[in-house]
Amino acid sequence: AKGWVAGYPNALPRAAVELYRSAAAGDLDTAVPLYRQLHPLHRWDSKVEFVQAIKLSMDVVGRHGGPCRPPRVALLPEQEAAVRAATEKAVAAGLR
């Protein structure tokens, strides 16, 4: 790909840049494991609640995501728990 448009680099910018650069360079030894670690979060980019998920992940990692404006509504408790757990797992793995 010549480029990448995604929301999750707002929460984990260094990991996103590393993933893009390694994939673009054909360094699959780096890109594939990183992609697998980020995949649970990146899947939110394809859901209706992607803005809420990204903003929550931003809050979890210490970047201000803040609340969404209407008509978006808060994540359901189980969605929030899933996003929070996946974000914390990525951070624990050293991804930022």
Side-chain angles (χ1 to χ4, degrees):
K2 297 272 183 189
W4 178 23
V5 177
Y8 257 99
N10 289 296
L12 301 167
R14 282 183 274 161
V17 169
E18 183 180 358
L19 174 59
Y20 175 77
R21 287 185 177 158
S22 60
D27 178 5
L28 298 183
D29 290 336
T30 300
V32 171
L34 186 52
Y35 174 80
R36 287 185 177 139
Q37 288 177 302
L38 292 170
H39 188 256
L41 290 171
H42 286 179
R43 292 206 29 102
W44 284 94
D45 254 356
S46 65
K47 297 182 184 208
V48 172
E49 304 86 3
F50 73 102
V51 172
Q52 296 93 314
I54 293 165
K55 284 176 162 280
L56 174 58
S57 289
M58 290 173 68
D59 287 339
V60 169
V61 301
R63 299 175 178 277
H64 179 70
C68 288
R69 291 179 288 179
R72 294 194 178 273
V73 297
L75 293 171
L76 296 174
E78 58 271 14
Q79 292 171 318
E80 181 177 339
V83 171
R84 189 174 297 280
T87 305
E88 290 171 351
K89 185 175 180 180
V91 170
L95 305 180
R96 284 288 186 162

